[in-house]
Amino acid sequence: GESVGLHLPTLSVQEGDNSIINCAYSNSASDYFIWYKQESGKGPQFIIDIRSNMDKRQGQRVTVLLNKTVKHLSLQIAATQPGDSAVYFCAEILNTGNQFYFGTGTSLTVIP
Amino acid sequence: KAGVTQTPRYLIKTRGQQVTLSCSPISGHRSVSWYQQTPGQGLQFLFEYFSETQRNKGNFPGRFSGRQFSNSRSEMNVSTLELGDSALYLCASSLLGITDTQYFGPGTRLTVL
């Protein structure tokens, strides 16, 4: 099947620094990408999404970059806060067959 | 607006039994999707229901089934439980489907002994 993988399983950053979480995907036909945040004991929470016809999208303190040439997705969190500590997943959606794939997740720890 | 709710939150079953999990979507949402989350496989898509019809399906055996009622509430059933079915089962609801913003519930933690 298709694979959506993450480059680093864990990431530790100092409070106030910027965080970058990466994701590789394998299907160049993917249409839609989403980043989710999952805190302990909770379900995933939508952070930001991007369509395949875009390269960059910004939200509040978060930016998603899509590089279709190398099939790479990244999530940038500005001024990381302790409340950002969580597992972050990227998800890849293929409109053909409406298939939905998650990456394995990166655990972000913010050091006060 | 109330979020997605799932019941029960925790469940312990033995091999060979069957289990039914319930999901109540956000009011007005017609799409409900189910996911399995395990440490080894991560999050995997099970299926999606929209207006009482299964619209999309992931790569899970037929032991995993679901249904959706006219009020958009959904149930997921797993028959002949196996040890490997131990997981967190998450449901998510959205207005339009899996290509729309999905809102997840807290999950049901199923342990198979």
Side-chain angles (χ1 to χ4, degrees), chain B residues 20-64:
Chain B
T20 299
L21 312 181
S22 180
C23 173
S24 292
I26 291 171
S27 178
H29 286 189
R30 295 164 65 188
S31 169
V32 174
S33 301
W34 288 90
Y35 301 85
Q36 181 194 67
Q37 186 174 32
T38 61
Q41 298 296 319
L43 268 162
Q44 294 182 284
F45 172 69
L46 281 155
F47 32 66
E48 181 214 1
Y49 284 84
F50 187 89
S51 294
E52 302 180 65
T53 301
Q54 186 180 90
R55 190 161 66 172
N56 295 293
K57 188 177 188 303
N59 297 322
F60 276 80
R63 299 186 298 107
F64 292 82

Side-chain angles (χ1 to χ4, degrees), chain A residues 47-108:
Chain A
I47 301 173
I48 192 168
D49 60 359
I50 189 167
R51 300 281 171 183
S52 59
N53 61 352
M54 301 171 68
D55 298 321
K56 179 179 179 180
R57 189 154 190 234
Q58 288 184 289
Q60 187 178 13
R61 284 200 306 118
V62 295
T63 301
V64 55
L65 298 177
L66 176 62
N67 186 330
K68 295 181 286 293
T69 303
V70 295
K71 290 183 281 189
H72 183 267
L73 190 70
S74 69
L75 174 71
Q76 300 178 2
I77 305 173
T80 314
Q81 302 168 0
D84 295 328
S85 294
V87 176
Y88 290 81
F89 298 93
C90 65
E92 168 186 16
I93 294 94
L94 286 74
N95 268 329
T96 304
N98 272 334
Q99 289 300 304
F100 195 106
Y101 301 99
F102 280 96
T104 53
T106 292
S107 177
L108 174 66

Side-chain angles (χ1 to χ4, degrees), chain A residues 11-19 79-82 108-112:
Chain A
L11 178 65
S12 295
V13 298
Q14 291 287 336
E15 181 179 357
D17 287 351
N18 297 333
S19 303
T80 314
Q81 302 168 0
L108 174 66
T109 300
V110 181
I111 304 166

Side-chain angles (χ1 to χ4, degrees), chain A residues 30-47:
Chain A
S30 294
D31 305 279
Y32 180 47
F33 304 87
I34 307 171
W35 279 102
Y36 285 95
K37 171 187 179 183
Q38 187 173 22
E39 296 173 280
S40 181
K42 298 182 180 179
Q45 176 187 0
F46 173 90
I47 301 173

